[in-house]
mmCIF file of all heavy atoms in Angstrom:
data_model
loop_
_atom_site.group_PDB
_atom_site.id
_atom_site.type_symbol
_atom_site.label_atom_id
_atom_site.label_comp_id
_atom_site.label_asym_id
_atom_site.label_seq_id
_atom_site.Cartn_x
_atom_site.Cartn_y
_atom_site.Cartn_z
ATOM 1 N N LEU A 227 0.827 -1.171 0.018
ATOM 2 C CA LEU A 227 0.000 0.003 -0.015
ATOM 3 C C LEU A 227 0.855 1.277 -0.034
ATOM 4 O O LEU A 227 0.664 2.171 -0.799
ATOM 5 C CB LEU A 227 -0.934 0.028 1.219
ATOM 6 C CG LEU A 227 -1.718 1.311 1.438
ATOM 7 C CD1 LEU A 227 -2.722 1.532 0.328
ATOM 8 C CD2 LEU A 227 -2.343 1.354 2.800
ATOM 9 N N TRP A 228 1.874 1.295 0.882
ATOM 10 C CA TRP A 228 2.697 2.485 0.979
ATOM 11 C C TRP A 228 3.480 2.752 -0.305
ATOM 12 O O TRP A 228 3.640 3.852 -0.743
ATOM 13 C CB TRP A 228 3.668 2.390 2.151
ATOM 14 C CG TRP A 228 2.890 2.503 3.497
ATOM 15 C CD1 TRP A 228 1.628 3.020 3.712
ATOM 16 C CD2 TRP A 228 3.420 2.128 4.764
ATOM 17 N NE1 TRP A 228 1.312 2.942 5.049
ATOM 18 C CE2 TRP A 228 2.418 2.436 5.724
ATOM 19 C CE3 TRP A 228 4.607 1.615 5.229
ATOM 20 C CZ2 TRP A 228 2.577 2.199 7.079
ATOM 21 C CZ3 TRP A 228 4.781 1.361 6.585
ATOM 22 C CH2 TRP A 228 3.750 1.692 7.507
ATOM 23 N N GLU A 229 3.951 1.673 -0.941
ATOM 24 C CA GLU A 229 4.657 1.894 -2.224
ATOM 25 C C GLU A 229 3.731 2.447 -3.292
ATOM 26 O O GLU A 229 4.091 3.337 -4.030
ATOM 27 C CB GLU A 229 5.312 0.561 -2.655
ATOM 28 C CG GLU A 229 6.132 0.719 -3.915
ATOM 29 C CD GLU A 229 7.183 1.828 -3.848
ATOM 30 O OE1 GLU A 229 7.876 1.925 -2.803
ATOM 31 O OE2 GLU A 229 7.347 2.599 -4.827
ATOM 32 N N LEU A 230 2.508 1.924 -3.314
ATOM 33 C CA LEU A 230 1.503 2.389 -4.245
ATOM 34 C C LEU A 230 1.199 3.853 -3.966
ATOM 35 O O LEU A 230 1.098 4.715 -4.864
ATOM 36 C CB LEU A 230 0.268 1.553 -4.170
ATOM 37 C CG LEU A 230 -0.912 1.906 -5.074
ATOM 38 C CD1 LEU A 230 -0.516 1.879 -6.537
ATOM 39 C CD2 LEU A 230 -2.082 0.978 -4.802
ATOM 40 N N GLU A 231 1.003 4.202 -2.695
ATOM 41 C CA GLU A 231 0.732 5.603 -2.347
ATOM 42 C C GLU A 231 1.853 6.505 -2.745
ATOM 43 O O GLU A 231 1.588 7.659 -3.208
ATOM 44 C CB GLU A 231 0.446 5.681 -0.831
ATOM 45 C CG GLU A 231 -0.870 5.068 -0.413
ATOM 46 C CD GLU A 231 -1.093 5.030 1.086
ATOM 47 O OE1 GLU A 231 -0.136 5.045 1.894
ATOM 48 O OE2 GLU A 231 -2.257 4.966 1.508
ATOM 49 N N ARG A 232 3.068 6.098 -2.597
ATOM 50 C CA ARG A 232 4.198 6.906 -3.001
ATOM 51 C C ARG A 232 4.277 7.126 -4.506
ATOM 52 O O ARG A 232 4.573 8.203 -5.008
ATOM 53 C CB ARG A 232 5.491 6.326 -2.435
ATOM 54 C CG ARG A 232 5.574 6.435 -0.949
ATOM 55 C CD ARG A 232 6.752 5.727 -0.376
ATOM 56 N NE ARG A 232 6.665 5.783 1.063
ATOM 57 C CZ ARG A 232 7.125 4.868 1.920
ATOM 58 N NH1 ARG A 232 7.732 3.784 1.447
ATOM 59 N NH2 ARG A 232 7.010 5.038 3.217
ATOM 60 N N SER A 233 3.981 6.064 -5.228
ATOM 61 C CA SER A 233 3.950 6.101 -6.665
ATOM 62 C C SER A 233 2.815 7.110 -7.120
ATOM 63 O O SER A 233 3.067 7.983 -8.033
ATOM 64 C CB SER A 233 3.673 4.770 -7.276
ATOM 65 O OG SER A 233 3.474 4.793 -8.634
ATOM 66 N N ILE A 234 1.683 7.028 -6.501
ATOM 67 C CA ILE A 234 0.603 7.931 -6.853
ATOM 68 C C ILE A 234 0.949 9.372 -6.530
ATOM 69 O O ILE A 234 0.715 10.270 -7.311
ATOM 70 C CB ILE A 234 -0.711 7.477 -6.150
ATOM 71 C CG1 ILE A 234 -1.233 6.213 -6.819
ATOM 72 C CG2 ILE A 234 -1.752 8.605 -6.137
ATOM 73 C CD1 ILE A 234 -2.304 5.525 -6.018
ATOM 74 N N ALA A 235 1.586 9.575 -5.388
ATOM 75 C CA ALA A 235 2.001 10.947 -4.991
ATOM 76 C C ALA A 235 2.969 11.510 -6.031
ATOM 77 O O ALA A 235 2.875 12.681 -6.372
ATOM 78 C CB ALA A 235 2.652 10.936 -3.604
ATOM 79 N N ARG A 236 3.907 10.709 -6.522
ATOM 80 C CA ARG A 236 4.827 11.170 -7.575
ATOM 81 C C ARG A 236 4.047 11.630 -8.787
ATOM 82 O O ARG A 236 4.343 12.662 -9.399
ATOM 83 C CB ARG A 236 5.826 10.086 -7.900
ATOM 84 C CG ARG A 236 6.978 9.935 -6.917
ATOM 85 C CD ARG A 236 8.045 9.025 -7.432
ATOM 86 N NE ARG A 236 7.639 7.595 -7.550
ATOM 87 C CZ ARG A 236 7.564 6.711 -6.599
ATOM 88 N NH1 ARG A 236 7.918 7.013 -5.381
ATOM 89 N NH2 ARG A 236 7.166 5.455 -6.860
ATOM 90 N N GLU A 237 3.067 10.889 -9.183
ATOM 91 C CA GLU A 237 2.287 11.189 -10.359
ATOM 92 C C GLU A 237 1.462 12.512 -10.118
ATOM 93 O O GLU A 237 1.478 13.395 -10.974
ATOM 94 C CB GLU A 237 1.270 10.099 -10.700
ATOM 95 C CG GLU A 237 1.889 8.849 -11.305
ATOM 96 C CD GLU A 237 0.914 7.730 -11.459
ATOM 97 O OE1 GLU A 237 -0.310 8.005 -11.483
ATOM 98 O OE2 GLU A 237 1.325 6.604 -11.592
ATOM 99 N N LEU A 238 0.855 12.622 -8.971
ATOM 100 C CA LEU A 238 0.060 13.810 -8.664
ATOM 101 C C LEU A 238 0.928 15.081 -8.665
ATOM 102 O O LEU A 238 0.590 16.140 -9.160
ATOM 103 C CB LEU A 238 -0.631 13.691 -7.325
ATOM 104 C CG LEU A 238 -1.668 12.524 -7.199
ATOM 105 C CD1 LEU A 238 -2.188 12.535 -5.798
ATOM 106 C CD2 LEU A 238 -2.813 12.680 -8.219
ATOM 107 N N LEU A 239 2.133 14.949 -8.040
ATOM 108 C CA LEU A 239 3.021 16.105 -7.898
ATOM 109 C C LEU A 239 3.756 16.459 -9.109
ATOM 110 O O LEU A 239 4.168 17.665 -9.262
ATOM 111 C CB LEU A 239 3.990 15.850 -6.700
ATOM 112 C CG LEU A 239 3.310 15.863 -5.313
ATOM 113 C CD1 LEU A 239 4.182 15.246 -4.291
ATOM 114 C CD2 LEU A 239 2.999 17.315 -4.918
ATOM 115 N N THR A 240 3.991 15.569 -9.999
ATOM 116 C CA THR A 240 4.745 15.873 -11.244
ATOM 117 C C THR A 240 3.869 16.352 -12.360
ATOM 118 O O THR A 240 4.347 16.836 -13.378
ATOM 119 C CB THR A 240 5.586 14.684 -11.741
ATOM 120 O OG1 THR A 240 4.784 13.527 -11.920
ATOM 121 C CG2 THR A 240 6.697 14.361 -10.691
ATOM 122 N N ASP A 241 2.568 16.336 -12.182
ATOM 123 C CA ASP A 241 1.637 16.899 -13.167
ATOM 124 C C ASP A 241 1.850 18.422 -13.103
ATOM 125 O O ASP A 241 1.894 19.054 -12.063
ATOM 126 C CB ASP A 241 0.191 16.572 -12.795
ATOM 127 C CG ASP A 241 -0.781 16.949 -13.851
ATOM 128 O OD1 ASP A 241 -0.660 18.092 -14.444
ATOM 129 O OD2 ASP A 241 -1.692 16.176 -14.170
ATOM 130 N N ASP A 242 1.994 19.053 -14.330
ATOM 131 C CA ASP A 242 2.283 20.465 -14.381
ATOM 132 C C ASP A 242 1.097 21.369 -14.247
ATOM 133 O O ASP A 242 1.246 22.595 -13.975
ATOM 134 C CB ASP A 242 2.953 20.801 -15.703
ATOM 135 C CG ASP A 242 4.427 20.365 -15.748
ATOM 136 O OD1 ASP A 242 5.016 20.255 -14.657
ATOM 137 O OD2 ASP A 242 4.920 20.063 -16.841
ATOM 138 N N GLU A 243 -0.120 20.839 -14.319
ATOM 139 C CA GLU A 243 -1.309 21.640 -14.111
ATOM 140 C C GLU A 243 -1.457 22.002 -12.626
ATOM 141 O O GLU A 243 -1.465 21.135 -11.759
ATOM 142 C CB GLU A 243 -2.580 20.949 -14.538
ATOM 143 C CG GLU A 243 -3.822 21.797 -14.388
ATOM 144 C CD GLU A 243 -5.123 21.012 -14.719
ATOM 145 O OE1 GLU A 243 -5.043 19.827 -15.015
ATOM 146 O OE2 GLU A 243 -6.150 21.629 -14.690
ATOM 147 N N PRO A 244 -1.507 23.308 -12.247
ATOM 148 C CA PRO A 244 -1.637 23.672 -10.871
ATOM 149 C C PRO A 244 -2.884 23.003 -10.239
ATOM 150 O O PRO A 244 -3.935 22.945 -10.871
ATOM 151 C CB PRO A 244 -1.812 25.219 -10.917
ATOM 152 C CG PRO A 244 -1.121 25.581 -12.216
ATOM 153 C CD PRO A 244 -1.429 24.444 -13.161
ATOM 154 N N ALA A 245 -2.709 22.530 -8.975
ATOM 155 C CA ALA A 245 -3.750 21.846 -8.293
ATOM 156 C C ALA A 245 -3.527 21.872 -6.789
ATOM 157 O O ALA A 245 -2.449 22.255 -6.294
ATOM 158 C CB ALA A 245 -3.804 20.373 -8.721
ATOM 159 N N ILE A 246 -4.608 21.565 -6.078
ATOM 160 C CA ILE A 246 -4.503 21.298 -4.648
ATOM 161 C C ILE A 246 -4.307 19.773 -4.533
ATOM 162 O O ILE A 246 -5.110 18.979 -4.968
ATOM 163 C CB ILE A 246 -5.834 21.687 -3.932
ATOM 164 C CG1 ILE A 246 -6.298 23.103 -4.329
ATOM 165 C CG2 ILE A 246 -5.627 21.546 -2.439
ATOM 166 C CD1 ILE A 246 -5.340 24.206 -3.963
ATOM 167 N N VAL A 247 -3.161 19.427 -3.951
ATOM 168 C CA VAL A 247 -2.785 17.957 -3.934
ATOM 169 C C VAL A 247 -2.786 17.438 -2.491
ATOM 170 O O VAL A 247 -2.216 18.100 -1.534
ATOM 171 C CB VAL A 247 -1.374 17.790 -4.558
ATOM 172 C CG1 VAL A 247 -0.924 16.298 -4.459
ATOM 173 C CG2 VAL A 247 -1.316 18.277 -5.936
ATOM 174 N N THR A 248 -3.443 16.292 -2.279
ATOM 175 C CA THR A 248 -3.498 15.651 -0.963
ATOM 176 C C THR A 248 -2.954 14.292 -1.071
ATOM 177 O O THR A 248 -3.706 13.299 -1.268
ATOM 178 C CB THR A 248 -4.944 15.672 -0.398
ATOM 179 O OG1 THR A 248 -5.805 15.128 -1.423
ATOM 180 C CG2 THR A 248 -5.361 17.061 -0.047
ATOM 181 N N PRO A 249 -1.642 14.086 -0.928
ATOM 182 C CA PRO A 249 -1.076 12.724 -0.964
ATOM 183 C C PRO A 249 -1.298 12.011 0.388
ATOM 184 O O PRO A 249 -1.594 12.620 1.384
ATOM 185 C CB PRO A 249 0.466 13.042 -1.194
ATOM 186 C CG PRO A 249 0.687 14.344 -0.590
ATOM 187 C CD PRO A 249 -0.596 15.138 -0.777
ATOM 188 N N ALA A 250 -1.068 10.725 0.341
ATOM 189 C CA ALA A 250 -1.219 9.903 1.530
ATOM 190 C C ALA A 250 -0.139 10.271 2.585
ATOM 191 O O ALA A 250 0.986 10.654 2.197
ATOM 192 C CB ALA A 250 -1.114 8.408 1.158
ATOM 193 N N ALA A 251 -0.439 10.062 3.799
ATOM 194 C CA ALA A 251 0.483 10.341 4.911
ATOM 195 C C ALA A 251 1.785 9.492 4.820
ATOM 196 O O ALA A 251 2.816 9.897 5.330
ATOM 197 C CB ALA A 251 -0.151 10.173 6.228
ATOM 198 N N SER A 252 1.670 8.359 4.189
ATOM 199 C CA SER A 252 2.818 7.446 4.118
ATOM 200 C C SER A 252 4.011 8.078 3.415
ATOM 201 O O SER A 252 5.185 7.683 3.669
ATOM 202 C CB SER A 252 2.475 6.147 3.436
ATOM 203 O OG SER A 252 2.072 6.377 2.123
ATOM 204 N N ILE A 253 3.784 9.098 2.618
ATOM 205 C CA ILE A 253 4.910 9.744 1.908
ATOM 206 C C ILE A 253 5.803 10.482 2.896
ATOM 207 O O ILE A 253 6.994 10.731 2.607
ATOM 208 C CB ILE A 253 4.510 10.690 0.778
ATOM 209 C CG1 ILE A 253 3.842 11.968 1.344
ATOM 210 C CG2 ILE A 253 3.568 10.022 -0.193
ATOM 211 C CD1 ILE A 253 3.875 13.150 0.385
ATOM 212 N N LEU A 254 5.300 10.744 4.090
ATOM 213 C CA LEU A 254 6.150 11.407 5.118
ATOM 214 C C LEU A 254 7.265 10.550 5.659
ATOM 215 O O LEU A 254 8.229 11.006 6.264
ATOM 216 C CB LEU A 254 5.286 11.891 6.254
ATOM 217 C CG LEU A 254 4.274 12.988 5.899
ATOM 218 C CD1 LEU A 254 3.250 13.194 6.978
ATOM 219 C CD2 LEU A 254 5.027 14.297 5.568
ATOM 220 N N ASP A 255 7.181 9.253 5.309
ATOM 221 C CA ASP A 255 8.270 8.281 5.710
ATOM 222 C C ASP A 255 9.343 8.168 4.654
ATOM 223 O O ASP A 255 10.282 7.413 4.807
ATOM 224 C CB ASP A 255 7.678 6.911 5.976
ATOM 225 C CG ASP A 255 6.720 6.892 7.203
ATOM 226 O OD1 ASP A 255 6.902 7.685 8.107
ATOM 227 O OD2 ASP A 255 5.762 6.117 7.141
ATOM 228 N N ASP A 256 9.190 8.867 3.548
ATOM 229 C CA ASP A 256 10.039 8.638 2.363
ATOM 230 C C ASP A 256 10.762 9.951 1.993
ATOM 231 O O ASP A 256 10.077 10.924 1.553
ATOM 232 C CB ASP A 256 9.203 8.128 1.196
ATOM 233 C CG ASP A 256 10.015 7.873 -0.068
ATOM 234 O OD1 ASP A 256 10.945 7.066 0.015
ATOM 235 O OD2 ASP A 256 9.736 8.577 -1.070
#
């Protein structure tokens, strides 16, 4: 789950369209 959440966070954050992004808390361990 945490690996999947980190992968998703990378996708959300690397999108160039400005947005409000809410990644999973597990990214705080990485």
Side-chain angles (χ1 to χ4, degrees):
L227 171 68
W228 289 345
E229 185 53 42
L230 179 59
E231 289 174 336
R232 291 171 185 151
S233 172
I234 289 168
R236 282 189 295 276
E237 289 175 17
L238 299 177
L239 289 162
T240 56
D241 189 317
D242 286 332
E243 181 185 4
I246 311 297
V247 178
T248 51
S252 64
I253 72 158
L254 293 167
D255 296 329
D256 181 62

